Amino acid sequence: MLSQVKSCAIYGLESFLVDVEIDISGGLPAFDIVGLPDAAVKESRERVRAAIKNQNFDFPIKRITLNLAPADIKKEGPHFDLPIALGILSATDQLPAESLKKYAVVGELSLDGRIRPVNGILPMAIEVQQKNLKGIVVPWENAEEAAVIQGIDVIGVNSLKEAVDFFKGEMRIEAVKLPIKRETSDTAEGDFAEVRGQENLKRCLEIAAAGHHNLIMFGSPGTGKTMVARRIPTILPSMTFEESLELTKIYSIAGLLSNHSGLVQKRPFRAPHHSISSVSLVGGGRIPKPGEVTLAHYGVLFLDELPEFPREILELLRQPLEDGEITISRINATITYPAKFMLVAALNPCPCGFYGDPFHECSCSPQQIHKYLSKISGPLLDRIDIQTEVAPMKFSDFENSAVTDSATIKKRVENARLIQLERYKGQNIYCNSQLTPNLISKYCNLGRGEKLLLKDAFNRLRLSGRAYNRILKVSRTIADLEQSRDIKENHLAEALRYRNLDKYYQNLRM
């Protein structure tokens, strides 16, 4: 007796179809699983046996051989439980085999036969659509997530018996429709209207959001660095459907989607603690999983107290900051995850926090400050477009500061992004921070006066070639915010102001 059920497996951020083949023959009772299963797949034997019995079906006391094809790729996760159970029931004539051919099946079984939600449903639904199957049977809690993909029937089931009755035609289960887009609100993240003073900092964040530039803030404790950083998602452009779909795939595989959730509609804001491990930051592990740089894809990765992170951890950011992706190489696989995040970092100017503060005396020696800052390497600092000092506030700053809400700033940011999308149409980039050296030469032309200004700054500040390019990118964004076709001297001068950290600590690093 032989049966076959289609299921899916995850490889990186993609999915592929798996044929769950079951052969039941005479001989001593046994249940063997082949096809490179991991521990969770091997343990499905006990879950499947108990679920079949507790749902009042007959479990065969024979030799069961189960193969997961293709057999040369590692299979992991408990979502093979349901297709294995249905395959056994089909092989023992308790379920018609013909009805299983049009659907892929995924789901984890409880011992009593209930079906638990699993991770990675969205990429599985995409694979089912691309392979022209009729639909996919999933746990009920995952149905809305899968229903984002149109063109397939998404059948949500709560138990093994419901799945059997559906395939036998004894129960009619309506396919879950595309969930209605829920209105999102930014109230949980706060609003820029709550930020008093710090006009220069708010201007920097607007420029960073408009061009998707990396940004670092340094200043004394209590100047508002963290408060302002947490409000950055409220001024970022709304996500497109393609961005939401890609981000939802990542969160689905990472198991970070809540039950009954459709597409992720808010840009992520990830703020890992400085005790984070390298695997948690960039991804990896024995079975590679996405890290924080990938979970922050299309959003913000906020590193507070930057020098508190180990230097070797910070150096891992260099590849994703440059390439927009991170490659994880292991014995079992080499996987590339997307990592187009906006890095926002904050730090105090010294261990005590008051170096350069006009109101507090610094108690740190130059050696202590140098050691503190040595965690941030020159190559990493070069990859940060905007570096700005956050000055301590006076009482008058609270009273006389301008109040601009996030919605107003977001509109200006979106207008600048529209200009960039139109300019780079056909170039496979969507914002100024992605400009390559060739595209910089094409889109960041300078007049004679602008070239002289940049030449003087380059020699005086001893800038690197990478810093030179990044100044031009920021200048291009400032010009876009002012809807200027050309980069003017004032745009370039403002961009040069945002290399403060290079100047501020130049003598201490020598």
Side-chain angles (χ1 to χ4, degrees):
M1 294 177 286
L2 178 69
S3 71
Q4 185 182 88
V5 182
K6 293 189 181 297
S7 188
C8 297
I10 297 294
Y11 182 83
L13 293 183
E14 303 302 325
S15 177
F16 61 94
L17 283 183
V18 172
D19 290 329
V20 180
E21 302 171 335
I22 296 174
D23 177 72
I24 300 180
S25 59
L28 292 175
F31 195 158
D32 297 320
I33 301 178
V34 296
L36 288 183
D38 74 343
V41 179
K42 292 178 181 178
E43 290 171 354
S44 67
R45 292 175 294 195
E46 306 307 321
R47 294 191 296 270
V48 168
R49 181 185 286 109
I52 288 177
K53 290 181 177 179
N54 289 325
Q55 292 278 292
N56 298 320
F57 297 108
D58 294 328
F59 187 86
I61 310 300
K62 296 184 178 182
R63 183 175 185 82
I64 303 173
T65 304
L66 188 152
N67 179 46
L68 302 173
D72 59 341
I73 303 177
K74 187 82 171 176
K75 319 299 186 309
E76 59 185 66
H79 61 271
F80 292 108
D81 290 1
L82 183 57
I84 290 172
L86 293 176
I88 291 174
L89 296 178
S90 173
T92 54
D93 295 325
Q94 300 178 69
L95 179 65
E98 191 66 27
S99 62
L100 294 170
K101 294 182 178 180
K102 299 179 181 178
Y103 290 87
V105 182
V106 293
E108 177 187 348
L109 286 173
S110 299
L111 297 183
D112 60 0
R114 289 180 294 110
I115 300 176
R116 298 179 182 274
V118 296
N119 300 335
I121 288 293
L122 183 59
M124 294 179 189
I126 294 174
E127 176 68 7
V128 168
Q129 180 203 47
Q130 292 175 347
K131 290 299 188 288
N132 297 317
L133 295 179
K134 183 178 181 180
I136 183 170
V137 177
V138 300
W140 174 250
E141 288 87 345
N142 295 128
E144 286 192 16
E145 179 186 338
V148 168
I149 306 304
Q150 301 184 37
I152 59 173
D153 292 342
V154 176
I155 307 300
V157 291
N158 287 304
S159 67
L160 175 60
K161 188 175 188 313
E162 278 190 18
V164 172
D165 290 344
F166 169 75
F167 283 113
K168 291 172 70 174
E170 296 177 359
M171 175 183 285
R172 178 178 175 82
I173 302 178
E174 292 292 334
V176 179
K177 302 300 181 183
L178 179 69
I180 298 174
K181 184 176 179 180
R182 298 179 176 88
E183 293 296 325
T184 58
S185 171
D186 294 325
T187 53
E189 292 85 358
D191 194 287
F192 268 80
E194 302 166 350
V195 181
R196 299 287 179 173
Q198 300 298 6
E199 301 305 319
N200 181 63
L201 177 57
K202 287 189 280 188
R203 170 67 174 173
C204 287
L205 292 175
E206 182 177 339
I207 295 169
H212 201 264
H213 298 292
N214 302 316
L215 176 143
I216 188 168
M217 305 172 284
F218 63 100
S220 304
T223 51
K225 302 185 294 295
T226 303
M227 174 188 180
V228 173
R230 293 191 177 278
R231 285 159 174 74
I232 294 176
T234 67
I235 64 172
L236 291 175
S238 300
M239 296 184 73
T240 64
F241 176 79
E242 291 75 16
E243 289 176 335
S244 293
L245 189 62
E246 186 174 359
L247 190 62
T248 305
K249 282 175 59 177
I250 294 169
Y251 275 66
S252 175
I253 291 169
L256 297 178
L257 290 181
S258 58
N259 291 343
H260 300 292
S261 65
L263 286 176
V264 175
Q265 297 174 27
K266 288 186 179 181
R267 294 191 181 272
F269 181 88
R270 307 293 298 183
H273 190 260
H274 57 73
S275 60
I276 190 172
S277 67
S278 58
V279 170
S280 298
L281 183 65
V282 300
R286 185 179 59 83
I287 300 172
K289 295 292 183 184
E292 290 292 335
V293 297
T294 301
L295 297 176
H297 188 51
Y298 293 135
V300 176
L301 178 67
F302 177 52
L303 302 183
D304 203 1
E305 303 297 342
L306 188 65
E308 298 297 335
F309 287 81
R311 179 169 177 143
E312 59 272 18
I313 297 290
L314 295 179
E315 291 303 294
L316 295 173
L317 294 173
R318 287 163 61 175
Q319 184 208 347
L321 285 175
E322 195 73 22
D323 303 333
E325 60 185 25
I326 183 75
T327 301
I328 307 296
S329 297
R330 294 293 182 269
I331 295 176
N332 296 328
T334 297
I335 297 172
T336 298
Y337 293 120
K340 294 177 181 175
F341 58 90
M342 177 177 153
L343 176 65
V344 177
L347 69 151
N348 295 330
C350 65
C352 78
F354 297 112
Y355 179 69
D357 191 306
F359 307 114
H360 300 85
E361 184 178 351
C362 175
S363 60
C364 303
S365 67
Q367 291 77 16
Q368 288 176 312
I369 300 175
H370 177 79
K371 182 179 179 181
Y372 182 72
L373 295 173
S374 64
K375 299 281 188 70
I376 311 170
S377 68
L380 177 61
L381 198 59
D382 255 358
R383 288 169 168 81
I384 299 177
D385 304 346
I386 300 175
Q387 308 161 7
T388 185
E389 181 181 4
V390 185
M393 293 180 61
K394 302 175 183 177
F395 181 78
S396 57
D397 295 331
F398 292 96
E399 294 295 309
N400 303 323
S401 64
V403 177
T404 307
D405 61 12
S406 293
T408 302
I409 301 175
K410 182 177 180 178
K411 186 166 184 60
R412 296 199 294 259
V413 167
E414 289 182 332
N415 289 338
R417 284 287 183 97
L418 288 175
I419 293 172
Q420 294 166 51
L421 287 172
E422 183 64 28
R423 180 192 301 128
Y424 305 133
K425 190 178 294 182
Q427 299 285 358
N428 199 31
I429 63 173
Y430 63 91
C431 61
N432 291 329
S433 67
Q434 296 177 310
L435 285 169
T436 63
N438 286 337
L439 294 178
I440 289 175
S441 301
K442 182 177 180 180
Y443 295 112
C444 299
N445 293 320
L446 301 179
R448 184 172 179 275
E450 288 77 22
K451 287 182 179 178
L452 289 174
L453 175 62
L454 189 55
K455 178 182 178 181
D456 179 62
F458 188 86
N459 294 330
R460 202 159 33 85
L461 300 176
R462 289 175 283 180
L463 298 174
S464 67
R466 186 181 286 114
Y468 171 86
N469 286 337
R470 292 187 180 275
I471 288 169
L472 288 177
K473 293 179 187 180
V474 175
S475 301
R476 181 67 268 173
T477 301
I478 295 171
D480 290 340
L481 283 169
E482 296 186 2
Q483 300 186 4
S484 172
R485 180 180 176 181
D486 300 318
I487 298 175
K488 305 288 181 62
E489 283 191 41
N490 61 306
H491 304 147
L492 197 57
E494 184 176 0
L496 286 167
R497 284 173 46 206
Y498 302 140
R499 303 297 299 183
N500 284 345
L501 199 56
D502 288 335
K503 297 178 290 183
Y504 202 70
Y505 292 121
Q506 196 174 58
N507 293 331
L508 287 170
R509 288 186 180 277
M510 294 176 62

